[in-house]
Amino acid sequence: MTVRRLTHADRAQAEAMWREIFGDSEAFTAWYFSNRFSPVHSFGAFDGVRLVAMTLGRSTRIRVEDGVHDALLISGVSTLAGYRGRGLMHKLVSMQTEHAKNAGFSCCYLHPVRESLYASLGFRPGTDALRIESDAARTHKPFTLRDGVDLQAMCAVYDTLLLTHDGMQMRDEAEWNAVLNDYATDGGKTVVAYAENRPVGYICCLADGTVSELFALCPNAYAALIDTAAARLGQSLKATVPTDCDLMGERVYGMQYLVFDGAFSLPLKNGFCRLAY
């Protein structure tokens, strides 16, 4: 068994393994590996020349405690059936986090399948979240709700939340375009809420009903957005949102962090991070 950093030559195997393990569409997988695959931050285990386990990473910037930190987002941690239970995941992620520390990142972060899965590697819960559902019978305070992408409005909402919710990823124009192209790949639909022509929230959801993002500056705008999007898609929706949402929901764990050299403290103050590939 060989364990090493991935190269661009490994892309085809990594892409095939992603589809097999996670069941994502060919369109999304192709988009991800064209736009997000960063071999320099990714590691794999090989049985001969066959890729049997991997962990992918990409460089991001997050805002925490009024400062901006370089952070490594870890995703795609997976092992093929028949190779599980051998400690490959533990070894690969250990190599990845050591690489990140040596490369000068403030932290690594990920969204675990189970909250306890990465505890032995030093990861700790850093953010919290609320799981809410649409409700066709609910009444809302009046907002103007418009279909379609209004990038300036969405940026205004997101940038305001960056100042109040620690852990969120920083986005420049290129990052926004990448995120919106991701959603468009899976038939995304966007609704933006306005109050007196001021943008106060938005929701991005995919054709299959997955809510990719739901953010609002007015807590009572969350209900209007998710219920309107559900009605326009013709199906009920669930969304993961910050805990200051003005709705009842299930408290769920969010992102976990491995922080290097005391760069910041956990848990994050009013922390929320929606995993955006």
Side-chain angles (χ1 to χ4, degrees), residues 181-219:
N181 285 336
D182 169 14
Y183 301 156
T185 297
D186 282 324
K189 184 178 188 63
T190 300
V191 178
V192 182
Y194 303 82
E196 299 179 351
N197 293 319
R198 179 176 69 92
V200 294
Y202 68 88
I203 184 171
C204 298
C205 45
L206 310 183
D208 66 0
T210 300
V211 177
S212 300
E213 292 191 6
L214 172 54
F215 290 123
L217 304 182
C218 304

Side-chain angles (χ1 to χ4, degrees), residues 104-186:
F105 288 96
S106 292
C107 72
C108 294
Y109 68 115
L110 49 75
H111 191 288
V113 176
R114 294 195 310 274
E115 191 170 3
S116 60
L117 193 59
Y118 296 89
S120 64
L121 292 164
F123 284 83
R124 299 290 181 267
T127 62
D128 213 349
L130 198 66
R131 190 76 167 163
I132 63 170
E133 298 185 34
S134 59
D135 182 350
R138 202 156 37 203
T139 58
H140 313 116
K141 293 189 176 181
F143 293 98
T144 300
L145 298 163
R146 299 174 186 158
D147 288 322
V149 172
D150 181 339
L151 185 55
Q152 184 176 1
M154 294 165 69
C155 285
V157 171
Y158 193 90
D159 289 348
T160 301
L161 288 173
L162 277 173
L163 303 178
T164 56
H165 293 72
D166 280 346
M168 291 178 64
Q169 294 175 16
M170 306 290 291
R171 289 180 179 171
D172 57 16
E173 184 177 355
E175 179 65 17
W176 266 107
N177 286 330
V179 168
L180 293 175
N181 285 336
D182 169 14
Y183 301 156
T185 297
D186 282 324

